[in-house]
Amino acid sequence: MCGRFSLAVAPERLQQHFQLERGAVAALQPRYNIAPSQPVLAVVAGSLQRQATQFRWGLIPSWSRTPKAGWINARAETVAEKPSFRQAFCRRRCLIPADGFYEWADQGTAKRQPYWFYLLDRPVFAFAGIWERWRSPQGVERETCAILNTPANRLMGLFHERMPAILLEDDYDLWLDPQVRDPARLLPLLRPYPAEAMAAYPVSTHVNNPRYEDPTCRAPIGEAVQGSNLSEPAGSASPAVAPASPPVP
């Protein structure tokens, strides 16, 4: 799954990577601990080019009677079928930019160790997202989103059975295309990202508190686990460890 992530890259890099109009994200501030219910940057299809916008993280179906509950994740295997997600999957897809995400390792104690996951060759990337517009009886609108997830790859399998769906850059246009509504074309994009292209390192429990929003959240406190160097099967408590450099903002 995905319950926290980060986006702390230069606005110019975001503009270039997502092919946004000049100045679209110029005022964006670094985010080191993005949590559910907070606003998140999203990229959607525009009439001429992609547009940057913000959604509240926690999807509220349009038919919901209350805005209190929101889905932060949706399973790729059932997103085209479940009533809460199928209309958004069909008509309202988005890219959710990130440069890494967090997961907590179960150590067999009450205290769980947080790790920051990142891609070795992509300093910024996109989760596959869906969004929805909810309107209250009084006419108040809320635009919310969810991140899709897939079965874990070998690296993520050491920590959790699920992982966020990370899109290949070549698939951005297809994912955003509002004319494409056939699940047979979209669902193949939602596959586990290759473990050998990912790494993770332990970080301080500072990140556990969503009120903390600073570089300490993802500062390494130990060596990185690199997917390409795993020597134990998924689920092992003792993965092979190899140094891996984090991406440059």
Side-chain angles (χ1 to χ4, degrees), residues 14-20 43 50 95 97 124-126 172:
L14 284 171
Q15 176 187 308
Q16 180 180 22
H17 181 82
F18 291 102
Q19 300 176 20
L20 300 170
V43 176
R50 298 171 188 166
L95 307 175
V124 64
F125 55 88
Y172 288 177

Side-chain angles (χ1 to χ4, degrees), residues 68-137:
K68 293 183 180 179
W71 302 88
I72 66 170
N73 292 141
R75 294 173 71 96
E77 300 92 322
T78 57
V79 67
E81 305 164 3
K82 287 210 167 184
S84 296
F85 309 126
R86 62 190 178 197
Q87 284 300 314
F89 176 69
C90 180
R91 301 171 182 273
R92 289 175 288 278
R93 298 181 300 273
C94 63
L95 307 175
I96 299 181
D99 63 359
F101 62 94
Y102 299 95
E103 189 54 74
W104 280 255
D106 188 352
Q107 299 180 313
T109 65
K111 185 177 181 181
R112 303 174 69 209
Q113 174 62 53
Y115 278 73
W116 188 63
F117 289 77
Y118 58 97
L119 307 189
L120 294 171
D121 60 346
R122 294 173 63 184
V124 64
F125 55 88
F127 299 131
I130 55 176
W131 68 277
E132 190 58 272
R133 182 179 290 113
W134 178 88
R135 185 191 296 267
S136 74

Side-chain angles (χ1 to χ4, degrees), residues 120-238:
L120 294 171
D121 60 346
R122 294 173 63 184
V124 64
F125 55 88
F127 299 131
I130 55 176
W131 68 277
E132 190 58 272
R133 182 179 290 113
W134 178 88
R135 185 191 296 267
S136 74
Q138 294 75 33
V140 177
E141 287 190 350
R142 292 192 183 182
E143 293 183 334
T144 59
C145 66
I147 294 172
L148 275 65
N149 62 39
T150 73
N153 63 22
R154 184 175 175 130
L155 175 62
M156 279 298 302
L158 299 170
F159 303 86
H160 198 279
E161 63 181 9
R162 308 289 297 178
M163 69 177 293
I166 299 171
L167 293 170
L168 298 178
E169 191 172 352
D170 288 345
D171 293 334
Y172 288 177
D173 284 339
L174 179 58
W175 182 254
L176 290 179
D177 190 340
Q179 302 304 315
V180 177
R181 299 179 181 181
D182 183 0
R185 296 186 63 188
L186 297 167
L187 292 176
L189 308 184
L190 307 176
R191 51 192 179 270
Y193 200 79
E196 60 271 17
M198 296 180 63
Y201 56 68
V203 297
S204 165
T205 53
H206 184 76
V207 74
N208 290 3
N209 191 331
R211 291 179 297 177
Y212 295 147
E213 183 69 84
D214 57 73
T216 302
C217 291
R218 69 180 197 191
I221 62 171
E223 289 187 291
V225 182
Q226 191 164 330
S228 60
N229 291 331
L230 293 178
S231 60
E232 299 290 337
S236 168
S238 302

